[in-house]
């Protein structure tokens, strides 16, 4: 099979899944007596407004990181369900460290990034160590670590890491990060193109894209990435080829957690400037969906993140139209299910085609039996 | 049923199947109460044909007649209902259940609709296994049974379901010569009681001994149907392969005095039980050391201990004067140990990855596959093209995924990959299992070639001809110990079989 046909099929699968998901959601809308076309129409026109697009990109950035964090685990069949806890804990600690030190801007930000990655990586690494030493499945341990992270985070935020409360101020939050630790927005860049927005386009988006690039380079171009993919494709063969499975598991969990640690920084350094009780949650779980949509490929994950972010943003309008915006949960759920099925169908089609092509191409070339 | 109504008739069976040899207009006529052998090389289409007859696959074309009536099987259940039973090459038994439970599994006799009537089942099993040689104790656990007993249980299971037509897929592959004799006696008994037996094999001497009629399949087509009295083994072999049967043969010795690998007192324990016990031997440069034995006597553990996949509990493995017994697999590979695993798809390939990545597997830390921490795609692809060319791998290119290749080509590719890394020691575990004669000859030739260039080879194989033909030194392994050291030039398969079963005790593992 030639490359282009492969690409077309790989592209058609998610599109078909999307169409299917829209059909199912239409059905749901019809059931509650709302005309589906009107709903989609208003979602679309609201979603493509400049404000919405900026907000979509702001959301897609952390979702992209979440997808990458889950995706690198998926590459070797490790299910890091704990991205949620990893990023929240990482954001909390990073915010506290950031507020406690004062450094020149680039160094300050670098320190924040390193702290967040170390915290996220360590938290996920616990699951890796448990897996190789005690045989605990990472799905179980990362879910449990999510609960622990939530509890631990709430405790720390309420006690040691809380900014001393001022009178009449009941907000529970870490102290504010000084200006040198904030990430500049990309609004000036938008300005060059004559686009003005009331809200900020978060600068940390750039870091997300860079991590995506690194993801590609590490997974596809390095020896480590080769070992990683080999372990995912066939752990036994990878082991026989000299891969140390235990080391790979711990390293990969650490990497996954380190990427997860960055998720919260987009909002932290671009908007909140402190870890508060209303810090965004759920990004880690959505990241699983994003990774599935993107087939663990950095470009696919990027598209998946943009899609989910677009749906989430554009659904905001539905409330005004008297449509429960929970309908988007249905859309997202159906998209993910149908995308997974569509990918599997396409994979089988490609596989069968390749086997046929190989048989065809080598037909008549079998050598005569060599007698010795 | 009239005497001349065939028990099974297959007409024009065609199965198009991507990548592997399909069935192409195959005909087969099996008379009642005969032992009908279907022979052919690995990959000739025997298994596909039998899967069609047993309802596991549906033919694209053609008709199946059982006892004169046309049938359409949608699943093995339909075939069982029509009186056909199949004993697979790999036993399909639940180890943690008893003989009795395994027999009734899936067709439990019930009393008052719900409870399993074990009494009645036990009665039937005692009848069946009594009429069919030594009775099996219905209450023994299957994990305690020997390979031969496992097979008997499989046959009883099939008879219990009322099979009148029995398909045996390579039934002797897992048996030692003495057990084969036993099986044949039982098959003759069954035949005497009117059971029709279809016997799949590629072991010609056995086929000539047991079969009443032989149908030869080659390249997915029926080549001929003959009576064993009318053909010789070599004529049959010629029908099978279309030319003369290649045989491994020894050439002048290339064994040098230099030791490539020295194993001493190697012991491997699993669950506290030694599965490899105090094994010592040496492989010299230019020498092929063969390990013969019935499967499951410690061969797998020996190979895993040498490549570093399972830690030995005692003993040393010395290479170039250094003990590598505690080294990691990667270090051993980098030190020059090549590895052809016994199961290519399980241990040797990334099926869903392109060939050039598979070429790097096991060598991903060395040139031309890597440079520093990076994978060198260009270098890897060039080396892959070289392997494909040198080792005659039939593939449309180096970018196709490994699953697209036929089994024989996958195996040639693995052999090529290991050879082209120029190892000092090669562990070849079942290097020609499941591949066709042409590919087998090519692999043998490659091993001989490398041996003459100074490679030391540890050859573990279930194929006695391969062992005898390739080895310079031959050891027999039994219950984890090396029990005999034999001269491949003079030993006969029969003799070897006796050592392998412990029927004859050896002169000990002379060093």
């Amino acid at each position: 099979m030639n490359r282009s046909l492969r690409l077309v099929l790989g592209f058609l699968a998610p599109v078909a899944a999307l169409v299917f998901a829209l059909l199912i959601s239409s059905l749901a809308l019809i059931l509650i007596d709302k005309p589906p076309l009107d709903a989609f129409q208003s979602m679309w026109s609201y979603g493509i407004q400049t404000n919405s697009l900026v907000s979509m990109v702001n959301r897609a950035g952390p979702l992209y990181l979440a997808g990458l964090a889950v995706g690198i685990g998926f590459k070797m069949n490790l299910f890091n369900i704990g991205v949620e806890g990893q990023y929240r804990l990482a954001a909390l600690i990073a915010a506290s460290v950031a507020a406690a030190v004062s450094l020149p801007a680039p160094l300050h930000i670098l320190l924040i990034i390193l702290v967040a990655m170390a915290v996220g990586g360590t938290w996920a690494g616990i699951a890796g160590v448990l897996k190789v030493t005690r045989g605990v499945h990472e799905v179980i341990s990362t879910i449990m670590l999510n609960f622990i992270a939530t509890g631990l985070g709430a405790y720390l935020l309420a006690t040691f890491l809380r900014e001393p409360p001022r009178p009449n101020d009941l907000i529970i939050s870490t102290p504010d990060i000084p200006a040198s630790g904030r990430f500049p927005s990309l609004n000036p860049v938008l300005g060059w193109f004559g686009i003005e927005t009331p809200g900020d386009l978060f600068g940390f988006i750039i870091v997300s894209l860079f991590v995506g690039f690194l993801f590609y380079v590490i997974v596809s171009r390095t020896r480590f990435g080769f070992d990683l993919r080999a372990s995912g494709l066939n752990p036994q063969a990878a082991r026989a080829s000299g891969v140390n499975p235990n080391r790979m598991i711990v390293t990969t969990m650490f990497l996954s957690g380190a990427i997860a640690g960055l998720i919260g920084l987009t909002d932290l350094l671009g908007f909140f400037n402190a870890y508060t009780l209303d810090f965004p949650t759920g990004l880690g779980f959505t990241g699983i969906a994003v990774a599935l949509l993107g087939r663990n490929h950095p470009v696919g994950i990027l598209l998946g993140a943009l899609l989910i972010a677009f749906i989430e943003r554009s659904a905001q309008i539905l409330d005004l139209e008297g449509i429960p915006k929970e309908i988007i949960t249905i859309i997202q759920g159906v998209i993910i299910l149908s995308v997974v099925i569509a990918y599997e169908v396409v994979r089988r089609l490609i596989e069968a085609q390749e086997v046929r092509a190989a048989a065809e191409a080598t037909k008549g070339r079998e050598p005569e039996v060599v007698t010795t | 049923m009239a005497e001349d109504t065939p028990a099974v008739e297959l007409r024009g069976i065609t199965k198009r199947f991507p990548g592997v040899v399909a069935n192409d207009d195959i005909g087969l006529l099996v008379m009642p109460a005969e032992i009908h052998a279907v022979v052919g090389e690995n990959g000739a289409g025997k298994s596909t044909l039998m899967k069609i007859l047993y309802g596991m696959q549906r033919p694209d074309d053609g008709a199946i007649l059982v006892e004169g009536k046309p049938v359409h099987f949608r699943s093995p259940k339909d075939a069982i209902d029509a009186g056909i039973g199949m004993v697979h090459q790999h036993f399909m038994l639940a180890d943690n259940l008893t003989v009795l439970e395994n027999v009734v599994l899936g067709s439990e006799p019930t009393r008052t609709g719900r409870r399993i009537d074990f009494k009645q089942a036990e009665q039937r099993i005692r009848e069946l296994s009594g009429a069919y040689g030594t009775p099996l104790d219905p209450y023994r656990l299957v994990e305690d049974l020997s390979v031969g007993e496992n097979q008997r249980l499989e046959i009883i299971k099939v008879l219990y379901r009322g099979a009148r037509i029995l398909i045996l897929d390579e039934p002797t592959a897992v048996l030692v010569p003495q057990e084969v004799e036993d099986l044949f006696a039982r098959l003759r008994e069954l035949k005497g009681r009117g059971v029709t037996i279809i016997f799949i094999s590629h072991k010609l001497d056995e086929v000539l001994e047991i079969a009443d009629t032989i149908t030869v399949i080659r390249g997915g087509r029926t080549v001929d149907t003959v009576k064993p009295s009318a053909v010789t083994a070599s004529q049959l072999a010629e029908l099978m392969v279309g030319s003369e049967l290649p045989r491994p043969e020894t050439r002048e010795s290339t064994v040098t005095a230099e030791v490539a690998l020295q194993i001493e007192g190697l012991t491997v324990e699993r669950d506290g039980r030694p599965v490899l016990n105090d094994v010592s031997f040496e492989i010299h440069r230019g020498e092929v050391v063969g390990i013969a034995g019935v499967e499951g006597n410690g061969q797998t553990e020996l190979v895993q201990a040498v490549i570093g996949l399972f830690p030995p509990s005692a003993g040393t493995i010395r290479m170039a004067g250094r003990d590598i017994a505690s080294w990691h697999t990667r270090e051993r590979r980098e030190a020059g140990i090549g590895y052809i695993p016994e199961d290519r798809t399980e241990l040797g390939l990334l099926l869903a990855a392109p060939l050039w990545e598979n070429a790097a597997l096991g060598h991903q830390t060395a040139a031309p596959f890597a440079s520093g921490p990076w994978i060198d795609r260009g270098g890897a692809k060039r080396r892959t093209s070289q392997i494909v060319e040198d080792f005659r791998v039939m593939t449309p290119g180096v970018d196709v995924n490994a699953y697209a290749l036929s089994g024989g080509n996958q195996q040639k590719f693995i052999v090529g990959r290991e050879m082209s890394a120029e190892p000092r020691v090669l562990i070849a575990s079942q290097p020609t299992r499941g591949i066709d004669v042409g590919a087998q000859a090519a692999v043998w030739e490659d091993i001989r070639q490398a041996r003459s260039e100074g490679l030391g080879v540890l050859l573990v194989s279930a194929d006695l001809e391969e062992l005898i033909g390739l080895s310079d030194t031959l050891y027999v392994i039994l219950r984890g110990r090396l029990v005999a050291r034999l001269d491949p030039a003079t030993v006969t398969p029969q003799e070897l079989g006796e050592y392998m079963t412990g029927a004859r005790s050896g002169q000990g593992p002379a060093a």
Side-chain angles (χ1 to χ4, degrees):
Chain A
M1 161 161 312
N2 58 43
R3 260 214 151 87
S4 52
L5 188 50
R6 250 184 122 131
L7 268 176
V8 168
L9 270 177
F11 183 72
L12 272 182
V15 170
L18 197 60
V19 170
F20 183 69
L22 287 177
L23 284 177
I24 297 284
S25 329
S26 303
L27 212 63
L29 284 167
I30 289 169
L31 283 176
I32 55 168
D33 279 335
K34 305 284 176 192
L37 281 181
D38 290 358
F40 296 141
Q41 180 82 53
S42 52
M43 274 176 76
W44 176 257
S45 53
Y46 176 70
I48 57 169
Q49 288 171 16
T50 312
N51 273 349
S52 295
L53 289 177
V54 167
S55 146
M56 170 186 97
V57 173
N58 283 342
R59 184 68 166 181
L63 279 182
Y64 185 41
L65 288 168
L68 292 172
V70 176
I72 200 162
F74 276 165
K75 276 281 176 197
M76 65 169 289
N77 294 335
L78 282 175
F79 290 75
N80 182 3
I81 311 294
V83 169
E84 182 74 17
Q86 290 146 26
Y87 93 79
R88 286 166 66 181
L89 199 61
L92 169 67
I93 308 279
S96 304
V97 172
V101 299
S102 73
L103 283 167
L107 284 180
H108 203 160
I109 289 171
L110 188 67
L111 175 75
I112 296 170
I113 288 178
L114 288 179
V115 169
M117 290 179 79
V119 173
T122 307
W123 203 248
I126 295 172
V129 171
L130 283 175
K131 187 181 175 83
V132 300
T133 55
R134 310 299 316 160
V136 183
H137 198 282
E138 75 278 3
V139 167
I140 307 295
S141 56
T142 52
I143 289 176
M144 294 304 155
L145 283 165
N146 274 344
F147 289 118
I148 299 174
T150 308
L152 183 66
Y155 172 72
L156 290 176
L157 182 59
T159 54
F160 304 106
L161 304 181
R162 182 176 181 182
E163 184 181 31
R166 286 180 296 258
N168 305 327
D169 183 5
L170 295 174
I171 290 174
I172 298 177
S173 126
T174 57
D176 269 3
I177 300 171
S180 60
R182 297 177 192 171
F183 212 98
S185 85
L186 290 176
N187 287 19
V189 182
L190 289 180
W192 298 341
F193 298 99
I195 303 168
E196 299 226 356
T197 70
D200 281 351
L201 180 63
F202 300 152
F204 206 76
I205 304 295
I206 302 292
V207 177
S208 305
L209 290 175
F210 181 67
V211 172
F213 173 72
L214 276 184
F215 180 106
Y216 169 76
V217 170
I218 290 175
V219 169
S220 299
R221 298 285 173 159
T222 64
R223 270 168 46 183
F224 172 79
F226 184 88
D227 286 354
L228 179 89
R229 281 179 297 129
S231 306
L233 288 168
N234 185 346
Q236 293 211 66
R239 192 161 164 249
S241 85
V243 175
N244 181 337
N246 288 352
R247 194 187 299 162
M248 278 312 290
I249 286 168
V250 175
T251 314
T252 306
M253 280 309 278
F254 183 87
L255 268 182
S256 174
I259 300 174
L262 296 173
I263 296 169
L265 298 192
T266 315
D267 289 284
L268 182 69
L269 306 186
F271 181 75
F272 284 81
N273 297 324
Y275 189 92
T276 62
L277 270 187
D278 58 349
F279 200 76
T281 61
L283 291 169
F285 293 124
T286 313
I288 299 171
V290 170
L292 281 174
L293 282 175
R295 299 175 82 186
N296 311 324
H297 189 281
V299 175
I301 296 174
L302 181 59
L303 295 176
L306 287 169
L307 176 66
I308 297 277
F310 178 80
I311 293 174
E312 282 189 2
R313 171 66 188 186
S314 58
Q316 303 292 329
I317 195 71
L318 291 180
D319 269 345
L320 299 179
E321 307 266 321
I323 298 170
K325 67 166 182 265
E326 282 69 24
I327 194 79
I328 67 142
T329 318
I330 298 181
I331 302 187
Q332 288 182 353
V334 178
I335 288 180
I336 290 154
L337 279 179
S338 40
V339 147
V340 170
I341 294 167
Y343 284 152
E344 179 61 19
V345 170
V346 165
R347 191 188 65 76
R348 288 188 191 178
L349 280 178
I350 290 177
E351 194 172 311
Q353 165 67 25
E354 243 185 31
V355 169
R356 240 189 327 269
E360 205 97 312
T362 56
K363 204 151 85 184
R365 286 213 285 129
E366 287 292 343
E368 307 216 337
V369 172
V370 186
T371 42
T372 53
Chain B
M1 185 174 60
E3 252 321 276
D4 52 356
T5 309
V8 172
E9 188 179 356
L10 300 179
R11 288 189 196 147
I13 294 290
T14 300
K15 178 79 183 171
R16 283 172 284 271
F17 214 46
V20 295
V21 184
N23 286 171
D24 186 6
D25 194 21
I26 284 192
L28 184 67
L29 200 65
V30 184
M31 300 309 288
E34 74 163 348
I35 298 182
H36 193 116
V38 177
V39 301
E41 286 182 57
N42 285 312
K46 298 170 303 209
S47 295
T48 307
L49 188 66
M50 290 307 123
K51 280 178 183 164
I52 287 171
L53 178 55
Y54 191 52
M56 293 165 80
Q57 270 163 10
R58 276 201 263 181
D60 296 328
D61 214 344
I64 306 171
L65 285 83
V66 175
E67 287 156 0
K69 290 184 285 289
V71 290
H72 298 278
F73 296 149
R74 245 170 272 115
S75 71
K77 196 184 169 303
D78 294 348
I80 292 167
D81 291 344
I84 297 176
M86 180 152 177
V87 175
H88 298 271
Q89 193 176 348
H90 302 287
F91 301 138
M92 310 222 168
L93 298 169
D95 275 353
N96 54 343
L97 298 183
T98 62
V99 168
L100 174 63
E101 287 164 338
N102 266 284
V103 171
V104 300
L105 194 64
S107 59
E108 296 87 350
T110 48
R111 211 167 33 187
T112 66
R114 302 244 317 262
R115 286 182 48 208
I116 298 178
D117 188 352
F118 278 112
K119 273 255 146 49
Q120 188 204 324
E122 190 191 330
Q123 183 67 25
R124 282 262 290 144
I125 290 166
R126 286 198 194 279
E127 278 168 30
L128 283 170
S129 71
Y132 174 63
T134 337
L136 279 175
D137 177 357
Y139 292 101
R140 269 177 78 193
L141 277 181
V142 167
E143 63 187 4
D144 299 331
L145 299 185
S146 72
V147 175
E149 286 171 328
N150 265 301
Q151 190 172 57
R152 258 166 61 203
L153 173 54
E154 282 279 17
I155 293 174
I156 289 168
K157 211 170 95 179
V158 168
L159 294 175
Y160 180 85
R161 283 157 177 71
R164 299 180 303 278
I165 298 155
L166 202 58
I167 307 170
L168 301 174
D169 188 10
E170 309 247 357
T172 60
V174 290
L175 303 180
V176 295
Q178 283 74 7
E179 287 174 321
V180 171
E181 282 310 313
D182 197 42
L183 171 73
F184 283 0
R186 288 165 205 284
L187 292 185
R188 290 194 186 96
E189 245 173 75
L190 284 176
K191 182 176 97 173
R193 296 198 289 143
V195 177
T196 308
I197 294 164
I198 302 177
F199 185 96
I200 318 293
S201 184
H202 57 237
K203 295 184 176 168
L204 303 183
D205 47 342
E206 291 174 3
V207 165
L208 286 169
E209 186 189 335
I210 188 78
D212 300 310
T213 313
I214 303 169
T215 294
V216 184
I217 292 178
R218 182 171 79 228
R221 291 167 174 270
T222 315
V223 179
D224 206 351
T225 298
V226 294
K227 291 285 171 193
S229 52
V231 287
T232 64
S234 66
Q235 283 169 331
L236 206 51
E238 249 184 75
L239 282 175
M240 235 170 84
V241 300
S243 70
E244 283 203 359
L245 188 68
R247 299 173 66 86
E249 59 183 45
T250 35
R251 291 176 183 170
E252 66 214 70
S253 172
T254 55
V255 183
T256 64
E258 198 182 327
V259 176
L261 192 79
Q262 185 188 29
I263 289 172
E264 240 181 76
L266 197 65
T267 300
V268 174
E269 285 177 9
R270 246 177 205 168
D271 308 322
R273 196 168 53 88
V275 280
L276 194 67
N277 205 337
D278 194 20
V279 164
S280 305
F281 63 92
E282 282 178 351
I283 304 173
H284 297 85
R285 296 197 63 209
E287 181 185 32
V288 176
V289 171
I291 304 287
V294 178
E295 266 179 69
N297 273 288
Q299 296 95 320
T300 307
E301 286 76 13
L302 173 63
V303 166
Q304 290 193 342
V306 176
I307 191 65
L309 290 176
F310 201 89
S313 51
T316 58
I317 305 168
R318 299 186 88 79
M319 203 176 156
R322 287 178 299 179
D323 183 8
I324 63 168
S326 61
W327 288 17
H328 192 259
T329 302
R330 174 149 290 165
E331 296 168 307
R332 300 191 201 199
R333 280 190 169 269
E334 285 170 349
I337 299 187
Y339 177 37
I340 301 172
E342 59 185 327
D343 187 327
R344 62 179 162 269
T345 54
E346 204 168 293
L347 287 166
L349 290 172
L350 309 173
L351 287 175
L355 272 195
W356 69 266
E357 290 194 344
N358 275 287
L361 194 67
H363 312 281
Q364 63 260 50
T365 56
F369 301 108
S371 93
W374 306 102
I375 290 288
D376 180 353
R377 292 185 167 206
K381 289 189 182 182
R382 278 191 296 278
R383 168 65 73 87
T384 312
S385 304
Q386 198 64 44
I387 293 171
V388 165
E389 192 176 312
D390 292 352
F391 293 84
R392 302 165 297 279
V393 181
M394 294 296 141
T395 168
V398 299
D399 286 312
V400 295
N401 286 339
Y403 58 63
L405 268 58
S406 69
N409 280 307
Q410 290 176 344
Q411 190 70 19
K412 283 193 284 188
F413 184 77
I414 291 178
V415 172
R417 166 179 86 195
E418 299 306 323
M419 294 292 193
S420 61
E422 293 175 358
R424 290 203 272 166
V425 174
L426 176 70
I427 305 167
S429 190
Q430 317 289 2
T432 62
R433 171 171 284 179
I435 65 175
D436 61 68
V437 171
Q440 186 179 45
V443 169
W444 284 344
E445 194 48 46
D446 293 332
I447 291 178
R448 279 202 203 95
Q449 180 64 30
R451 178 190 72 156
S452 67
E453 286 160 14
L455 177 71
V457 181
L458 175 62
L459 174 68
V460 176
S461 178
D463 182 337
L464 298 187
E465 283 197 11
E466 174 170 277
L467 278 172
I468 291 168
L470 282 182
S471 304
D472 298 293
T473 312
L474 192 58
Y475 291 97
V476 178
I477 193 165
L478 179 68
R479 289 183 214 101
R481 289 176 183 276
L482 296 187
V483 292
R485 178 186 167 136
L486 303 168
D487 182 355
T490 55
V491 73
T492 65
Q494 190 61 35
E495 214 181 324
L496 201 52
E498 286 172 7
Y499 280 113
M500 283 161 57
T501 54
R504 189 201 286 218
S505 54
Q507 55 268 60

